[in-house]
């Protein structure tokens, strides 16, 4: 029970990872391939657990007392922390453009679609950002974000479980979907490429860097917290697996084999849920989408600002041991509120790209940081030069990280080539 009461960073970062991208990708994958690629989703999320756990292990068990993974990156090359911090912050801004719009879209529908849709969504986006700024300026940001995440994970699990129960599912097809098989290519996404993207992107995601900062805010700062950290992160990952599988099941049951819906707008997700579970379906979708996104964008504004300032401090100070909590930096609130909350509101204006387009673009750009993070984490956690000897990776852990990292690098190449 003490472990359960201590849960927090893992649930918070899992809800931040979930955002809107997982709802879209699970829906698109389920509608295109039915249950066939469900195994890739499960494997991807546990690959993320393994990789992020390695990041957490470095912060807790390195032999130099480094309080962040970027400090370790600075030991590999002095300029690396700032490079990673700047790229991560830019990606965080990209994520905010569609997550804030997703939250506003969901709230507009939940409140009955008042007035003009495009301007109504923008007004609700301004309202949500205003409420968020008010909450964050009151202090104790981490505790506020953790409370929101705890409430959200419960609501999301109940919401999408109800959707699956109301529609039902083919248990045999689901079990076959967990077998490692590749179907023939369909639609605009080849099966091999989709699997590579699903599994590979999670290891090098810039959002993985947020977890150790949430650990730090929780007070976990030494090897004694390692078992609790594993339990905490695994709990968050299992919640993500459950929610993603529920969304995938509804998409596979309703849309696979000619459902007649192209997932191009958030409303298409509501149509999918309506077909699957009846009149209550769209309501469940909007509730789920709101809590997914409303958990994500405050956490991202907090976490990615910390990553940026930490990285800049490490490089410009010239001494990686010198450390100031990024939250105490005078630029913290200006960057968090101005750049990661207010400026992204422009993308909620009527003339901005639609929600699904922003989601796909944001997730694709996330692959840019992949190679740096993947290689850096493997080097740091494998070497006894950087780790306490008893916590350095065992041979099988190194092999697992190399396999996940290899798939991640392949996925990064595919995404970059596709963007070009």
């Amino acid at each position: 029970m003490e472990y359960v009461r201590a849960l927090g960073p893992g649930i918070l970062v899992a809800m931040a990872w979930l955002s809107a991208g997982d709802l879209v990708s699970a829906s698109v994958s389920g509608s295109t391939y039915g249950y066939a690629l469900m195994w890739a989703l499960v494997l991807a999320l546990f690959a993320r657990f393994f990789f992020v756990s390695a990041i957490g292990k470095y912060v807790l068990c390195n032999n130099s007392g480094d309080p962040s993974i970027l400090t370790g990156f600075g030991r590999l090359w002095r300029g690396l922390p700032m490079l990673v911090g700047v790229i991560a912050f830019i990606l965080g801004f990209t994520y905010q453009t569609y997550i804030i719009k997703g939250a506003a879209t969901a709230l507009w529908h939940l409140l009955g679609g008042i007035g003009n849709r495009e301007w109504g969504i923008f007004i609700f986006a301004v309202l949500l950002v205003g409420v968020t700024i008010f909450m964050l300026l009151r202090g104790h940001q981490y505790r506020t974000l953790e409370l929101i995440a705890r409430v959200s994970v419960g609501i999301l699990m109940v919401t999408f479980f109800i959707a699956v129960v109301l529609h039902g599912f083919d248990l045999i097809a689901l079990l076959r979907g967990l077998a490692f098989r590749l179907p023939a290519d369909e639609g605009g996404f080849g099966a091999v490429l989709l699997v590579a993207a699903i599994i590979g992107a999670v290891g090098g995601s810039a959002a993985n860097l947020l977890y150790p900062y949430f650990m730090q805010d929780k007070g976990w700062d030494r090897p004694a917290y390692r078992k609790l950290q594993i339990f905490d992160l695994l709990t968050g990952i299992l919640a993500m697996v459950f929610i993603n599988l529920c969304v995938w099941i509804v998409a596979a049951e309703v849309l696979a084999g000619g459902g007649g819906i192209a997932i191009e707008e958030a409303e298409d997700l509501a149509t999918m849920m309506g077909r699957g579970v009846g009149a209550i379906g769209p309501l469940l979708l909007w509730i789920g989408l709101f809590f997914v996104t409303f958990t994500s964008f405050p956490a991202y504004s907090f976490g990615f600002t910390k990553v940026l300032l930490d990285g800049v401090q490490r490089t410009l100070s010239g001494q990686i041991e010198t450390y100031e909590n990024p939250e105490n930096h005078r630029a913290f609130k200006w960057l968090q509120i101005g750049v990661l909350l207010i400026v992204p509101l422009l993308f909620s204006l009527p003339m901005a790209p639609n929600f699904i387009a922003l989601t796909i673009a944001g997730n694709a750009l996330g692959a840019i940081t992949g190679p740096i993070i993947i290689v850096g984490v493997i080097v740091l956690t494998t070497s006894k030069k950087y780790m306490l000897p008893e916590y350095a990776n065992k041979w099988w852990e190194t092999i697992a990280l190399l396999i996940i990292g290899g798939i991640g690098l392949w996925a990064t190449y595919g995404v970059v080539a596709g963007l070009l």
Side-chain angles (χ1 to χ4, degrees), residues 360-374:
I360 293 172
N363 281 288
L365 289 172
I368 295 174
T369 54
I372 300 173
I373 296 172
I374 289 169

Side-chain angles (χ1 to χ4, degrees), residues 305-388:
T305 306
K306 279 200 162 192
V307 173
L308 171 65
L309 290 176
D310 187 23
V312 171
Q313 284 186 85
R314 299 296 174 194
T315 296
L316 296 186
S317 70
Q319 296 181 348
I320 55 177
E321 289 82 5
T322 302
Y323 182 73
E324 176 191 355
N325 190 325
E327 252 185 291
N328 298 330
H329 199 285
R330 60 182 179 273
F332 185 87
K333 285 186 171 59
W334 290 103
L335 290 167
Q336 179 189 22
I337 294 173
V339 181
L340 291 189
L341 286 174
I342 294 177
V343 177
L345 284 172
L346 297 175
F347 291 83
S348 294
L349 287 166
M351 64 286 299
N354 70 45
F355 167 70
I356 300 298
L358 288 170
T359 302
I360 293 172
N363 281 288
L365 289 172
I368 295 174
T369 54
I372 300 173
I373 296 172
I374 289 169
V375 173
V377 171
I378 292 174
V379 171
L380 288 174
T381 57
T382 300
S383 173
K384 293 181 181 179
K385 176 182 177 182
Y386 305 110
M387 297 293 295
L388 294 172

